[in-house]
Structures are given as structure tokens and as C-alpha cells.
Amino acid sequence: MARKNVREAFIKRIENQLKDDVNVTTHETYNRLLALGVSEERAIQAIAYFYEIYFREHLENYNEASWHDFMLEVPLTNHEGEYGFDNTDARKNSRYISKHYGRLKDNMRSLESELYAIESRLIVLHDQYQLSSREATKILQIVMNRLLDIQSKTTSDYSDFATEDLLYMADGLEYILNPYKNEKVAKIIQPYAHINEDNNYDFIFKNVFLCLDRVLESIRFWDKEFGVDGYFRYINRFMNTNYITTHDPELFFNEKTLLK
């Protein structure tokens, strides 16, 4: 089933839950999101995604208590920003990154582990949540733009670009490579660069941008070569999704990343 159909099915379920007073946690979460300034439509999208994750993890033992406990661990976010973001901005970012940082071509092996950190995340989303190559592209473009926003000290709004489930998926990918979001990443970088000094921005993020851009290029190539979602059919040959899902997510940075 396509991601769109899965999303719509869970949205419908949440809409039904909000019509009665039985599902207390759903109502509480909805009100918490509204209090953060999230619109009604996007609050329902967000809860539908949380419920989907919960449902997949509790197929045999759903109950209100475990749903409540699950939601206590979920970081709720208002993804609104100052400036709108669309496909034109995404293409502009790709051109900027290629011009400013170059392209990762013949030297891909030097950043093999970093590419794996990104692609292993995407293959799990495809395998478990029916993420398409097109949606994976959006996630990569969102993360890329969020990192560029750090440099420009602005925030972007993706309301017209992506649904809330994709924005939360982007949060997860960003978490493994953004030292401002993840203390573990900041700790790895600390011996090599101070993250709060603006002049270290390119040094810290160059390889991140090279890898994000390379994965975007791979999606375009393999989808053209093998058709819709051809990228995932290709990388699935080299990825053990069972291993990936039973181990902690790989961080993008390691002790060698900034030395490459």
C-alpha cells in the first residue's frame, strides 16, 4: 500500500477517535498540539503518524494505557517557520551545494559509513512505512534546507511542501547528523571544531551536504533506471533491514568524518 493510502487510513482513524470521548490520549495530544500553534489539520496528521508507529509496535496489545505511555515519550513539534519552502527552493539549494561544496563522485568510498547512516534510515522508512523515493527526496531536501537555515539564521515553513509524517521523519534523519539537535553528535565533533563558532560551519557540514546531495542523485538515477522506487529496490540488495531495525540508528558522524 502506498504511503499516501496508509497516511489517509490513519488520519481517518484519528478523526473518528476525536469524535468520541473514549480515546483520552488522542484528545490530550490534539489539544497539546493546538496549544503549540499547530493547525487542526496538521495536528491530526501528526497524531495519525504517531498512532501508526504505535500501532505497528503494539499489534497484539493495544490499550489506552500503553498508547498514553507511548505518547509521553513523543517530542511534539510545531514545524512552522518564517519563510515558505517549495520545489524551486529545493532545486536552488542543490545548485548552491554543488557549486559551494562540489560533488561526491569517484571518492564515495571515503564517506561510505556516512552514506550508510543516511541510507539505512531511509530503507527502514521504506520497508516499515511504505516511504516512496519521491517522499524520501522530500525528506532529504527538508533536512538539507534546515541545515542551510542554521547558516542564514532563519526558519522555513514546509506546510505546502510536505505532510506532518514526512516532517517528523525528517526530524529523525536530522537527529543523526545535526550537532545542534543531538548532544551525541556534538560530542563527536567537539575535539575537532566548536559548533558555536560560525566560521566552522562549512568544516562541520561539508561532508553532510555532499552525502545528502549524493543520495538525492542516487534516487534520481535508480528511479530512472528501474522505475518508481527503483532506488529502494537497488539499495535493498545491500541493506539488512532486520539488522538495522534491531540496532540503534547509526550516527552520521564518527571520529574520522571531519578528517576526510
Side-chain angles (χ1 to χ4, degrees):
M1 186 183 292
R3 175 85 208 131
K4 179 181 178 181
N5 297 333
V6 174
R7 180 190 305 120
E8 289 176 353
F10 279 96
I11 285 174
K12 187 67 176 177
R13 179 171 290 197
I14 295 305
E15 288 174 339
N16 289 335
Q17 289 185 5
L18 289 171
K19 291 176 182 177
D20 60 49
D21 297 323
V22 177
N23 296 280
V24 177
T25 300
T26 300
H27 281 272
E28 288 179 349
T29 306
Y30 179 69
N31 290 326
R32 286 167 61 200
L33 285 163
L34 295 184
L36 289 174
V38 179
S39 70
E40 293 182 6
E41 178 185 9
R42 298 193 75 88
I44 291 172
Q45 288 179 11
I47 301 169
Y49 179 54
F50 305 148
Y51 190 81
E52 179 185 355
I53 298 172
Y54 168 79
F55 182 80
R56 293 177 187 277
E57 293 179 1
H58 298 78
L59 285 173
E60 305 276 330
N61 59 343
Y62 165 80
N63 59 68
E64 177 65 24
S66 63
W67 170 226
H68 178 266
D69 291 343
F70 176 85
M71 282 310 304
L72 289 177
E73 302 298 322
V74 174
L76 302 182
T77 303
N78 184 337
H79 288 114
E80 291 182 1
E82 302 170 86
Y83 302 102
F85 181 83
D86 57 22
N87 287 313
T88 301
D89 297 307
R91 289 191 293 270
K92 188 187 301 181
N93 286 347
S94 289
R95 289 194 296 270
Y96 169 79
I97 286 166
S98 296
K99 182 178 180 180
H100 191 68
Y101 298 107
R103 281 281 177 87
L104 190 61
K105 294 181 179 179
D106 298 335
N107 56 338
M108 277 175 51
R109 284 191 175 277
S110 65
L111 291 169
E112 191 171 28
S113 63
E114 290 79 5
L115 285 166
Y116 176 82
I118 295 171
E119 295 190 294
S120 62
R121 188 96 188 180
L122 295 178
I123 194 66
V124 168
L125 292 173
H126 170 72
D127 188 60
Q128 296 191 345
Y129 298 95
Q130 293 74 54
L131 186 77
S132 69
S133 291
R134 183 177 180 182
E135 291 160 332
T137 295
K138 284 181 176 286
I139 289 172
L140 292 164
Q141 290 168 335
I142 289 166
V143 172
M144 189 179 283
N145 190 68
R146 286 176 176 175
L147 298 181
L148 289 170
D149 278 351
I150 294 171
Q151 186 179 40
S152 61
K153 295 180 172 57
T154 58
T155 58
S156 298
D157 188 278
Y158 305 94
S159 299
D160 296 327
F161 185 74
T163 47
E164 285 295 307
D165 55 338
L166 297 187
L167 294 180
Y168 277 98
M169 290 178 187
D171 291 347
L173 178 58
E174 184 183 1
Y175 187 73
I176 69 168
L177 49 75
N178 185 349
Y180 300 99
K181 297 285 186 180
N182 188 337
E183 291 183 1
K184 291 181 180 178
V185 174
K187 189 174 181 180
I188 294 171
I189 292 174
Q190 187 176 9
Y192 308 97
H194 294 290
I195 65 173
N196 293 320
E197 293 182 6
D198 291 346
N199 60 350
N200 285 329
Y201 177 87
D202 284 342
F203 177 65
I204 292 170
F205 288 110
K206 176 181 178 179
N207 286 336
V208 178
F209 284 126
L210 287 175
C211 289
L212 290 171
D213 184 63
R214 178 63 197 183
V215 177
L216 283 170
E217 187 177 341
S218 294
I219 291 174
R220 288 191 293 269
F221 178 83
W222 292 114
D223 275 18
K224 185 176 180 180
E225 190 79 4
F226 295 140
V228 176
D229 292 342
Y231 165 75
F232 284 117
R233 288 196 294 277
Y234 174 74
I235 67 168
N236 195 46
R237 303 175 185 178
F238 313 103
M239 298 279 188
N240 183 338
T241 54
N242 183 59
Y243 174 85
I244 296 169
T245 55
T246 54
H247 290 73
D248 290 336
E250 295 274 346
L251 296 178
F252 178 89
F253 286 92
N254 57 62
E255 66 278 4
K256 297 179 180 179
T257 302
L258 291 175
L259 302 178
K260 298 177 181 179

